[in-house]
Amino acid sequence: MNDLANHTSRITRIFPNMWQRPDYHSLNPLRGYNRQLLYEGLHQMKMDTLPGKIYSYSNMAVALLGTILEDTYKQDYFTILSNTILMPLQMKDTRIDIASLSAGRIAWPHNELRQVVPLWDISKLPAMGALRSSTADMVKFINANNHEISPAIALSHSVTFGTEKEGMGLNWFIHSSPQGYKILEHSGGTGGSRSSLECFPRLNAGFVILTNSLANRNNLEKELAAIVASQPI
């Protein structure tokens, strides 16, 4: 399980059967991609080395981890998240299905030409990135991690690969600022959307970036991290 959560499983990032399907669409590439296809892709994949040796980010490893959680709890992924994270933290604006929301509450994704593109449908394997949220909910999540309000959250911050200066927890990237502050970070994106989140537990601070474009937010991440880390305790 550690190898799946810290991206050292050696499972490839994406399986070829994702884009080799007759119903594949580049603007919504994961629509219809389900457990059966995931397991078929896993069966066809060849390992290049033993797990736990080399870091390499894998969307499919996270998808597999989600199916294991569903089988273990005998509940769907969103129900597990709702019971263990969303409801305890009162994150009422974090969900997978946003069909009931008014159009004005949705930040529709845009391509490089600033044209609206479809929201990706990852509902069959939601652990891969199906959650949609708001900045207010993400601030609640940052606070919960900064204060490690539960043993499970604290466990997720433990280094499972690499070091405290540059390593992995349980689906957390762990870094150290020039001032020596621990940083918990994750970022990602789907078609036309990008997100970044960083926690600074010792400073009880953090930030989240949510954008409905393909804007390169790397420089903004670095600038915000430098500002936060420069603050006195």
Side-chain angles (χ1 to χ4, degrees):
M1 294 287 281
N2 272 354
D3 297 335
L4 295 175
N6 66 17
H7 299 282
T8 62
S9 67
R10 304 312 296 155
I11 294 174
T12 51
R13 187 180 186 111
I14 294 292
F15 295 151
N17 70 348
M18 186 267 283
W19 66 81
Q20 292 171 349
R21 295 174 292 147
D23 58 347
Y24 171 77
H25 196 295
S26 61
L27 292 180
N28 200 352
L30 291 164
R31 181 180 59 190
Y33 195 81
N34 55 27
R35 276 185 174 224
Q36 180 180 341
L37 289 168
L38 173 70
Y39 295 154
E40 288 175 0
L42 186 65
H43 180 73
Q44 294 162 4
M45 191 199 78
K46 295 186 183 301
M47 300 285 286
D48 60 355
T49 188
L50 293 175
K53 304 286 186 183
I54 303 172
Y55 163 85
S56 181
Y57 195 89
S58 172
N59 299 80
M60 294 306 182
V62 177
L64 179 60
L65 184 57
T67 67
I68 293 171
L69 288 172
E70 289 181 326
D71 290 343
T72 300
Y73 284 91
K74 295 181 171 50
Q75 295 175 319
D76 66 87
Y77 182 75
F78 187 70
T79 298
I80 297 169
L81 251 61
S82 295
N83 292 338
T84 58
I85 298 174
L86 305 183
M87 288 193 291
L89 298 184
Q90 297 185 13
M91 295 173 63
K92 299 177 182 178
D93 283 330
T94 302
R95 62 189 73 197
I96 293 174
D97 183 7
I98 58 174
S100 62
L101 297 180
S102 62
R105 293 201 61 204
I106 302 171
W108 299 100
H110 292 69
N111 62 18
E112 62 275 3
L113 300 177
R114 299 185 179 181
Q115 299 166 329
V116 175
V117 293
L119 288 162
W120 280 14
D121 180 359
I122 319 177
S123 57
K124 303 296 184 183
L125 294 167
M128 253 200 294
L131 287 177
R132 283 83 183 232
S133 192
S134 65
T135 51
D137 269 13
M138 288 291 94
V139 169
K140 294 175 183 177
F141 190 64
I142 289 171
N143 286 331
N145 279 277
N146 281 342
H147 292 98
E148 294 189 336
I149 64 169
S150 72
I153 288 178
L155 179 64
S156 73
H157 300 166
S158 302
V159 175
T160 59
F161 184 78
T163 68
E164 288 279 355
K165 289 188 175 182
E166 199 69 35
M168 289 294 301
L170 299 178
N171 265 311
W172 278 111
F173 295 89
I174 298 174
H175 311 292
S176 180
S177 75
Q179 297 84 354
Y181 299 129
K182 183 177 184 177
I183 304 172
L184 304 167
E185 175 265 326
H186 209 297
S187 60
T190 54
S193 299
R194 297 291 183 267
S195 64
S196 303
L197 184 147
E198 295 195 15
C199 303
F200 296 74
R202 278 187 63 195
L203 296 170
N204 189 26
F207 63 83
V208 59
I209 302 170
L210 301 176
T211 173
N212 61 335
S213 75
L214 298 179
N216 186 334
R217 75 268 190 222
N218 293 338
N219 289 337
L220 180 57
E221 286 176 1
K222 293 175 182 177
E223 291 171 6
L224 287 174
I227 292 171
V228 173
S230 67
Q231 304 305 306
I233 295 179

